[in-house]
Amino acid sequence: MNVSSNIRSFISETFFVDDFADEDSFLQTGIIDSTGMMELVAFLEQSFEIKITDAELIPDNLDSLANLCRFVERKRSEAA
């Protein structure tokens, strides 16, 4: 399972969301609230073996599937 499919599956199963576009804002569309965002961060850190700092908890990194995929790939490449 690739990064996008893995994250999409987690969001669908955890937040009971049937369908959303890659660019949909999680917070603006109500897909994920602020508490859910913490669950998402924990999932990302565990699943992709990355550490997310407080400074990285910004919409540009975490507020859509597309942003998440770019962020995870960047973190993984920095760690390699």
Side-chain angles (χ1 to χ4, degrees):
M1 190 179 287
N2 67 27
V3 171
S4 178
S5 297
N6 198 347
I7 296 171
R8 181 179 290 279
S9 177
F10 171 79
I11 291 170
S12 294
E13 293 171 10
T14 304
F15 304 108
F16 307 107
V17 179
D18 290 331
D19 191 30
F20 56 94
D22 290 356
E23 299 291 338
D24 284 350
S25 166
F26 297 140
L27 295 174
Q28 289 182 0
T29 59
I31 295 171
I32 302 175
D33 62 14
S34 57
T35 303
M37 199 56 77
M38 294 297 101
E39 290 181 60
L40 178 61
V41 167
F43 165 78
L44 295 171
E45 288 184 328
Q46 183 176 17
S47 296
F48 300 106
E49 300 180 350
I50 60 174
K51 177 68 180 155
I52 301 173
T53 67
D54 288 345
E56 294 172 320
L57 299 174
I58 58 174
D60 284 349
N61 292 335
L62 306 174
D63 195 34
S64 71
L65 181 60
N67 288 2
L68 278 172
C69 290
R70 286 190 292 270
F71 176 67
V72 168
E73 292 296 342
R74 186 174 69 245
K75 292 290 287 185
R76 292 170 87 185
S77 69
E78 290 172 358

